[in-house]
Amino acid sequence: MPRKALITGITGQDGSYLAEFLLEKNYRVCGLVRRSSTINFERIAHLQDEVELIPGDLLDESSLIAALNKAEPDEVYNLAAQSFVPTSWVQPVLTGEFTALGVSRVIEAIRVVNPAIRFYQASSSEMFGMVKESPQSETTRFYPRSPYGVAKLYGHWMTVNARESYGLYGCSGILFNHESPRRGVEFVTRKVTYNVARTKLGLQRKLKMGNLEAERDWGFAGDYVAAMWLMLQQEKPDDYVIATGQTHSVRRLLEIAFEYVGLDYRDYVETDAEFVRPAEVYHLRGNYAKAKRVLGWQPRVGFAELIGMMIDSDLELLSKNAAKAATL
């Protein structure tokens, strides 16, 4: 019998890569999707014949119970959230409902249906926020600096609490920024690569950015989903930082991206206060030593390679769109 997994957020970046990964492991993969007239299946279009999509909503515990009863999973990966930090400032209550209380609803549904289910919670480096030490590890103090970070911290501690209070097999992956060609264009890395591709093709001249000195630890999403799976294969549940151990500023991201297409970012980039956060997270760098030691995991794709991969994908996407428009 193949093992079974239920992924919330299967239509997102991480969900699509995780679904691919689990299918390669011969899992039966189910994905939770909200009922909507505008669901975007683009990231999993190539998988739709191989996965089972089940309606459900993190705001509705009864729908989660029904989904678990239908999927009968051995493992649940909770990747669904309101995951865009700037939006969390505009919609803090909605962010709390999905990203914080949504975790409680999934955990409670597991306790009702089958407490033996192994549970993965997608925690975030944004929980560290105003960091007090660098690099950040599993023992670093949390100090979130956005409603998103606060909501993620709630979900993280609810997972720890369920593990320690009820014996639930629950793991939190404290994932640092992880990107790919499937990243939404609202996120800074994809915003840069997409607009660099547009600039290279002569479709625009200027790119407006916020704080260029903010530093992040960026890795490849395809590498990070393997760590999620490894966490649920251990004898005992625990929490792990997943990162590259290297940090780059937004300015360096721009330099690498524009250099990749033979341009100088200083000729095209303008700073705009509209894109500056009310409270900034200035520096994040993860220490993944525990994941390497216990899980045998380490990142494979380097930063410059990742940015090149994303630009190539965006150049191809824009060229296809242009060719399609020319035939209309």
Side-chain angles (χ1 to χ4, degrees), residues 217-230:
D217 183 329
W218 280 297
F220 174 48
D223 289 344
Y224 285 32
V225 298
M228 300 176 188
W229 176 78
L230 285 166

Side-chain angles (χ1 to χ4, degrees), residues 42 181-183 185 190 193-194 197-198 201 203 309-325:
E42 180 181 353
R182 300 177 193 174
R183 192 55 137 161
V185 293
R190 182 75 193 289
T193 64
Y194 183 76
R198 281 179 52 83
L201 295 173
L203 301 175
M309 175 198 311
M310 294 173 68
I311 292 174
D312 287 341
S313 175
D314 282 324
L315 285 169
E316 181 181 359
L317 173 66
L318 289 165
S319 297
K320 284 182 178 178
N321 289 346
K324 187 183 299 183

Side-chain angles (χ1 to χ4, degrees), residues 275-304:
F275 299 105
V276 177
R277 295 182 183 183
E280 182 62 86
V281 174
Y282 297 101
H283 172 86
L284 292 173
R285 179 164 69 96
N287 177 355
Y288 68 92
K290 180 179 175 181
K292 184 176 181 179
R293 183 181 71 254
V294 178
L295 306 179
W297 179 90
Q298 60 184 5
R300 298 173 300 164
V301 177
F303 183 62

Side-chain angles (χ1 to χ4, degrees), residues 12 17 54 80 82 96-97 102 155 161 176 181 183 185 190 192 229 239 241 262 285 304:
Y17 280 110
I54 300 174
Q82 190 302 100
E97 286 287 352
N161 186 263
F176 281 63
R183 192 55 137 161
V185 293
R190 182 75 193 289
V192 168
W229 176 78
D239 306 322
V241 163
R285 179 164 69 96

Side-chain angles (χ1 to χ4, degrees), residues 10-11 29-33 41 44 48 51-55 70:
I10 193 171
T11 60
V29 177
C30 298
L32 190 78
V33 293
F41 292 114
I44 60 168
Q48 280 192 256
V51 300
E52 179 182 357
L53 300 180
I54 300 174
K70 184 172 184 179

Side-chain angles (χ1 to χ4, degrees), residues 62-78:
S62 64
S63 74
L64 299 176
I65 291 172
L68 290 173
N69 279 321
K70 184 172 184 179
E72 298 182 325
D74 301 292
E75 300 167 1
V76 169
Y77 296 85
N78 183 39

